[in-house]
């Protein structure tokens, strides 16, 4: 025991074996004792795989005060103008420089779960018009070309009437693999160019993970019409060729 209180300058290799013997008795980590220890500590280890879903359900029931407290103590990455943390819970996506949200989080926004903090949510559907017309998220605006999104968002920026509330923009395409992420980067680049750093018109940008392809099967009630028309639809080959040439 005296060796545990030896000088910090002593090599860690001398202390480590003793720490292992004291902290980890031979029979302490047996499956039965591990389960008992977790039960006593109140940690539901057996439910760990379902943890992300549990966190999402809890976030849906947050009241205004709870969300404010969460943000006040939040240490996540700040939004584009560094004024506050991102409001929506994000998930891993294809592009590490972008912030992705799940379809479940999108529905939470659509259902008004964050209405006390979000004044305006702009859903930018970057798919081609024939895809959008075949089925889209309710309230989404179809902006397939860079000029379209620049005219809509930056020529007359959307400013909240309540300065304490946010304006957020969520981009998506069919899979949110190329067109949606590319448009998200384009808006941030143009927004930076027309503002003095670090100010931005739209500091909080998100991408819907999985795009419309993943959203539609789970939440058809939030789509109109309730259908899904893929980019490579047999009846729209000419439209696809035309829009691809136009977007180059």
């Amino acid at each position: 025991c005296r060796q545990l209180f030896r000088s910090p300058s002593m090599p860690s290799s001398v202390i480590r074996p003793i720490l292992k013997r004291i902290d980890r008795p031979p029979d302490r980590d047996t499956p039965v004792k591990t389960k008992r220890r977790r039960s006593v500590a109140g940690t539901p280890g057996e439910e760990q795989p379902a943890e992300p879903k549990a966190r999402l359900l809890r976030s849906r029931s947050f009241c205004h005060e709870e969300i404010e407290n969460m943000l006040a103590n939040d240490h996540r990455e700040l939004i584009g103008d560094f004024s506050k943390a991102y409001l929506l819970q994000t998930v891993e996506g294809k592009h590490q420089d972008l912030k992705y949200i799940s379809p479940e989080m999108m529905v939470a926004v659509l259902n008004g779960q964050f209405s006390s903090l979000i004044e305006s949510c702009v859903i930018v559907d970057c798919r081609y018009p024939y895809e959008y017309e075949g089925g889209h998220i309710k309230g989404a605006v179809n902006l397939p070309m860079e000029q379209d999104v620049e005219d809509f968002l930056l020529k007359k920026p959307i400013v909240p009437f309540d300065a304490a509330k946010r304006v957020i923009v969520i981009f998506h395409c069919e899979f949110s693999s190329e067109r949606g992420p590319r448009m998200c980067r384009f808006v941030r680049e143009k927004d930076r160019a027309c503002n003095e750093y670090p100010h931005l018109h739209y500091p909080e940008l998100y991408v819907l993970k999985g795009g419309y392809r993943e959203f539609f099967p789970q939440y058809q009630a939030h789509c109109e019409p309730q259908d899904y028309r893929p980019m490579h639809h047999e009846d729209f080959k000419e439209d696809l060729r035309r829009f691809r040439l136009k977007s180059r």
Side-chain angles (χ1 to χ4, degrees), residues 142-236:
N142 187 212
L143 305 173
M145 301 296 156
E146 291 181 349
Q147 189 61 53
D148 297 331
V149 76
E150 188 173 5
D151 291 345
F152 186 88
L153 291 176
L154 297 173
K155 278 195 173 181
K156 189 178 180 181
I158 302 170
V159 180
F161 291 104
D162 185 347
K165 291 191 175 184
R166 309 179 184 216
V167 173
I168 68 172
V169 186
I170 304 173
F171 298 83
H172 80 86
C173 52
E174 184 174 7
F175 301 100
S176 286
S177 177
E178 298 299 334
R179 290 177 289 176
R182 183 171 64 246
M183 196 69 79
C184 182
R185 290 196 187 97
F186 173 79
V187 169
R188 174 53 54 83
E189 178 184 350
K190 291 294 182 180
D191 201 354
R192 284 282 186 215
C194 63
N195 281 290
E196 183 177 349
Y197 187 87
H199 179 73
L200 290 165
H201 295 304
Y202 306 102
E204 196 160 355
L205 306 179
Y206 298 95
V207 176
L208 173 62
K209 185 175 182 180
Y212 190 76
R213 176 64 182 85
E214 187 172 323
F215 184 89
F216 172 74
Q218 303 177 61
Y219 302 106
Q220 295 187 27
H222 287 277
C223 302
E224 57 181 9
Q226 293 185 15
D227 202 355
Y228 165 42
R229 182 178 292 164
M231 182 177 71
H232 290 285
H233 194 286
E234 286 293 324
D235 297 337
F236 296 90

Side-chain angles (χ1 to χ4, degrees), residues 8-133:
S9 62
M10 173 166 284
S12 59
S13 60
V14 176
I15 299 175
R16 191 177 296 112
I18 298 173
L19 292 177
K20 284 186 177 179
R21 286 197 294 272
I22 292 175
D23 290 340
R24 296 186 177 220
D27 63 340
R28 185 166 183 176
D29 287 325
T30 61
V32 174
K33 293 202 171 188
T34 299
K35 186 174 181 180
R36 287 177 182 170
R37 186 167 63 253
R38 288 176 176 170
S39 177
V40 171
T43 304
E46 66 275 10
E47 296 180 0
Q48 190 171 359
E51 185 180 354
K53 183 177 181 180
R55 285 202 305 269
L56 181 61
L57 293 175
R58 286 199 299 272
S59 69
R60 291 178 183 177
S61 62
F62 280 152
C63 67
H64 176 77
E65 183 179 357
E66 289 172 325
I67 295 175
E68 289 287 11
N69 290 335
M70 176 184 71
L71 293 174
N73 298 309
D74 194 77
H75 300 289
R76 291 174 297 174
E77 185 177 346
L78 299 178
I79 60 177
D81 62 2
F82 313 118
S83 62
K84 55 182 74 73
Y86 280 90
L87 174 62
L88 305 183
Q89 178 183 332
T90 59
V91 295
E92 284 191 21
K94 178 179 178 180
H95 304 278
Q96 297 301 312
D97 60 314
L98 303 178
K99 298 299 179 184
Y100 288 81
I101 62 170
S102 65
E104 292 82 3
M105 185 57 65
M106 170 71 90
V107 170
V109 174
L110 294 174
N111 286 338
Q113 294 293 327
F114 299 93
S115 59
S116 62
L117 294 173
I118 297 176
E119 182 168 303
S120 179
C121 173
V122 183
I123 304 173
V124 178
D125 188 330
C126 304
R127 297 177 300 159
Y128 300 134
Y130 68 88
E131 298 174 82
Y132 177 86
E133 292 164 4

